[in-house]
Amino acid sequence: PVLLGCGSAQQPGSCPPLCECSEAARTVKCVNRNLTAVPPDLPSYVRNLFITGNRLARLPAGAFPAQRLPDLSALNLSGNHLRAVEAGALAALPALRQLDLSGNPLVSLSPQAFGEGGSPLEELALRGALRDHGVLLSLAAMLQSGALRNLSRLELADNGLLLLPAGMFTALPALRQLDLSNNSLVGLRNVSFQGLGQLQSLNLSDNSLGVLRNGTLAQLRGLPALRRIGLGRNAWVCDCAIEDLVAWLKETDQVEGKEALTCAYPDKMLGKALLKINGSDLNCSVPVDLPSQLQTSYVFLGIVLALIGAIFLLVLYLNRKGIKKWMHNIRDACRDHMEGYHYRYEINADPRLTNLSSNSDV
């Protein structure tokens, strides 16, 4: 490929300063150049644009000139220290199919970043870009609005996610690949896979999943195109709640490397393969009787209260003389106070006594 040089006077189709261009490959690379904004004079022939390792900080509305990049289909903006993607920032790219925003510390992502009419985007990579919870909620709002209905690949790995917003993927009917690996997901109760009839690959490896509940397993069974599920390196809790997951693993051929899935808790099950677990290992044959548990708790509580009452009575008995003396003192003090109040009442009620009291005071 021919690299077009940079000149002080830009001609149509020429290469912007600090960038490398190949018209034959229809590619422009502006890599590690400390750019603070998208070059305004990008050649119109560009199909693949790499602006990575710079310091863009924000992507404002109209960052890409309207109607100037009609063929731009792959845009890589990874590692640019981007913190904000504003409304309309990616609206003027009619051919955009691939977008990579990985490695940017986003704190603001407008749900209208692609404009009001949506986008033809098919692949979106946000690896390590969703550390801020508000950005995750904004992304969920964008996906639920239907702005990215053509999305077939979504990468959300390396984001430290604990839980996902409810219904986050319900408006993605074309989604084929979903990567949620290397997060901290503790459960999938909020996650709905319904409507993802085209989903072929689901990566849930390297998370903190302890079990997959019946509702989640039923959804996975109902996805006709699903062929690959990654569940490796999760913290599986091998108690009675994992029976359904074990049964599903034994019957499905969708889970990659399922033979290597092992228990993380409790200690007695540590390292045991999930596929080798049976009912006797979990000791779930005897159903838990909740009413009897409650009854036992009430009996124990009654015993504790009775013991406390006995100790209190014993203390009273051992200190009976002191208590009796204390009560006598209280009674004498109360009697003295009452006699004083009675004397003052008689003085106030009898004018003669009042005058006598006044003369005495004089």
Side-chain angles (χ1 to χ4, degrees), residues 60 67 76 134 231 238 271 292 299:
Q67 309 304 323
N76 191 331
L231 294 175
C238 296
S292 64
V299 171

Side-chain angles (χ1 to χ4, degrees), residues 51-318:
I51 304 178
T52 65
N54 293 288
R55 296 186 174 277
L56 300 187
R58 56 187 287 268
L59 206 61
F64 297 91
Q67 309 304 323
R68 287 284 305 277
L69 304 172
D71 298 324
L72 181 60
S73 62
L75 176 59
N76 191 331
L77 296 172
S78 61
N80 278 309
H81 297 85
L82 270 174
R83 296 179 61 82
V85 179
E86 301 177 2
L90 302 163
L93 300 173
L96 188 62
R97 297 293 184 273
Q98 300 173 349
L99 174 63
D100 192 343
L101 290 170
S102 300
N104 287 295
L106 294 176
V107 296
S108 175
L109 175 63
S110 172
Q112 290 80 38
F114 294 93
E116 298 295 335
S119 169
L121 194 69
E122 296 176 357
E123 299 183 14
L124 175 60
L126 290 163
R127 181 180 289 269
L130 301 177
R131 298 286 177 172
D132 186 275
H133 185 65
V135 175
L136 175 64
L137 297 178
S138 297
L139 174 65
M142 178 191 295
L143 297 178
Q144 291 171 334
S145 70
L148 301 178
R149 292 186 62 83
N150 297 312
L151 208 61
S152 63
R153 180 175 176 271
L154 179 59
E155 184 177 350
L156 304 178
D158 302 335
N159 284 303
L161 304 177
L162 290 172
L163 294 171
L164 296 174
M168 183 174 180
F169 308 120
T170 54
L172 300 175
L175 194 64
R176 290 182 172 84
Q177 299 178 36
L178 178 57
D179 188 354
L180 293 167
S181 63
N182 200 26
N183 283 293
S184 301
L185 295 174
V186 295
L188 297 175
R189 289 192 174 186
N190 288 342
V191 181
S192 174
F193 297 108
Q194 294 181 353
L196 302 182
Q198 303 297 320
L199 189 64
Q200 299 174 0
S201 174
L202 175 61
N203 193 349
L204 293 167
S205 60
D206 292 288
N207 277 284
S208 300
L209 297 173
V211 68
L212 296 183
R213 303 287 180 179
N214 263 335
T216 300
L217 297 177
Q219 290 187 52
L220 296 179
R221 290 191 186 99
L223 298 177
L226 190 58
R227 296 291 178 268
R228 297 187 302 277
I229 305 175
L231 294 175
R233 296 173 297 280
N234 277 283
W236 302 113
V237 179
C238 296
D239 56 14
C240 294
I242 208 170
E243 277 191 314
D244 295 322
L245 173 60
V246 171
W248 175 71
L249 287 174
K250 291 179 178 179
E251 72 181 29
T252 185
D253 57 356
Q254 300 169 313
V255 179
E256 296 179 330
K258 62 181 181 180
E259 295 81 8
L261 301 181
T262 58
C263 303
Y265 305 98
D267 291 340
K268 67 176 183 178
M269 300 289 285
L270 179 64
K272 187 177 183 64
L274 265 62
L275 290 178
K276 296 183 179 180
I277 293 177
N278 52 51
S280 60
D281 295 323
L282 302 176
N283 193 26
C284 300
S285 57
V286 180
V288 178
D289 187 1
L290 184 59
S292 64
Q293 282 188 340
L294 292 176
Q295 185 177 4
T296 303
S297 300
Y298 291 145
V299 171
F300 179 77
L301 179 61
I303 294 174
V304 171
L305 293 176
L307 181 61
I308 293 173
I311 293 174
F312 179 74
L313 292 176
L314 179 62
V315 171
L316 290 179
Y317 177 76
L318 294 177

